[in-house]
Amino acid sequence: MKLLIATTNPGKIAEYQALFADLNLNVVGLRDQAIDFEVEETGTTFEENARLKARAYAEASGILTLADDSGLCVDALGGAPGVFSARYAEGDRARIERLLTELRDIPDDQRAARFVCVIALAEPGGETTTFEGTCEGRIAWQPRGTHGFGFDPVFLFPDHGQTMAELPMSIKNQISHRARATAKARRWLLAYLSRSQVCE
């Protein structure tokens, strides 16, 4: 069975392929299905945006669709960039530079932050179900690591002494916000696959 991941980001698709590697799913991205339109993220919450994307691409493709909306919420910035994380600046490097500039005078004990991920699973012509995951950390003073994408190089896990971009994929796929939301979504997917096999 196909599962459409509502993104063109190859890093995100690779993460989901790894997270669902043991399920009987053919995980594909929007480009694999020749889908080239973008869904405007007009929601004010991660859940609203995830639902908008999942619903639109499920109806366009006729395929069970997973969309997520995720972002970085920094306490010292009043929860920003939040749902505007991807639009915080043009490109990962510029986003990180802006974040570090805005936090340049903020001491370590006030640099707390969390990644939030909401996953929406939309059945074509059916229901949409959501799952949320978070992970806590703080913002490092400079980027470190080459794995991951987005704000990963400056999101530090104090317990590990490493940024998200320094962690091996095997660890990241256990503790990341996306992994935690995905763990909840997996249970739903297993039930969905079981129901589909019964109906065949």
Side-chain angles (χ1 to χ4, degrees), residues 183-196:
K184 299 174 184 178
R186 279 173 61 88
R187 291 192 288 271
W188 186 94
L189 280 167
L190 283 166
Y192 183 86
L193 288 168
S194 295
R195 290 196 306 271
S196 298

Side-chain angles (χ1 to χ4, degrees), residues 4-9 12 28-30 53-54 57 65-68:
L4 175 63
I5 308 298
T7 186
T8 57
N9 183 322
K12 187 180 286 190
V28 298
L30 294 175
K53 291 183 288 187
Y57 290 123
T65 299
L66 182 154
D68 72 29

Side-chain angles (χ1 to χ4, degrees), residues 4-20 27-30 41 46 50 53 66-71 86 92 116-119 148-150 152 169 172-173 177-178 182:
L4 175 63
I5 308 298
T7 186
T8 57
N9 183 322
K12 187 180 286 190
I13 294 168
E15 277 194 24
Y16 278 117
Q17 287 172 333
L19 289 164
F20 294 139
V27 177
V28 298
L30 294 175
E41 296 182 5
F46 294 116
K53 291 183 288 187
L66 182 154
D68 72 29
D69 196 41
S70 58
D92 287 350
V116 179
C117 175
V118 175
I119 287 175
F149 53 91
D152 287 0
M169 187 66 79
K172 181 179 179 179
N173 283 346
H177 54 308
R178 187 166 294 112
T182 301

Side-chain angles (χ1 to χ4, degrees), residues 12 38-50 52-53 68-72 80-96 98-99 102 150-151:
K12 187 180 286 190
E38 289 189 23
V39 176
E40 190 175 356
E41 296 182 5
T42 56
T44 58
T45 66
F46 294 116
E47 180 176 351
E48 287 176 2
N49 284 331
L52 281 169
K53 291 183 288 187
D68 72 29
D69 196 41
S70 58
L72 179 69
V83 294
F84 300 105
S85 292
R87 291 161 278 175
Y88 196 50
E90 189 65 38
D92 287 350
R93 181 175 294 180
R95 285 190 276 274
I96 287 172
R98 177 180 173 185
L99 178 66
E102 293 187 356
F151 293 104

Side-chain angles (χ1 to χ4, degrees), residues 106-154:
I106 305 298
D108 268 342
D109 63 354
Q110 295 175 37
R111 296 171 77 91
R114 70 205 42 80
F115 272 127
V116 179
C117 175
V118 175
I119 287 175
L121 280 162
E123 304 170 65
E127 296 183 356
T128 302
T129 309
T130 60
F131 311 88
E132 181 174 329
T134 63
C135 63
E136 301 285 334
R138 73 167 190 257
I139 304 304
W141 290 92
Q142 60 187 20
R144 289 165 29 191
T146 57
H147 306 301
F149 53 91
F151 293 104
D152 287 0
V154 292

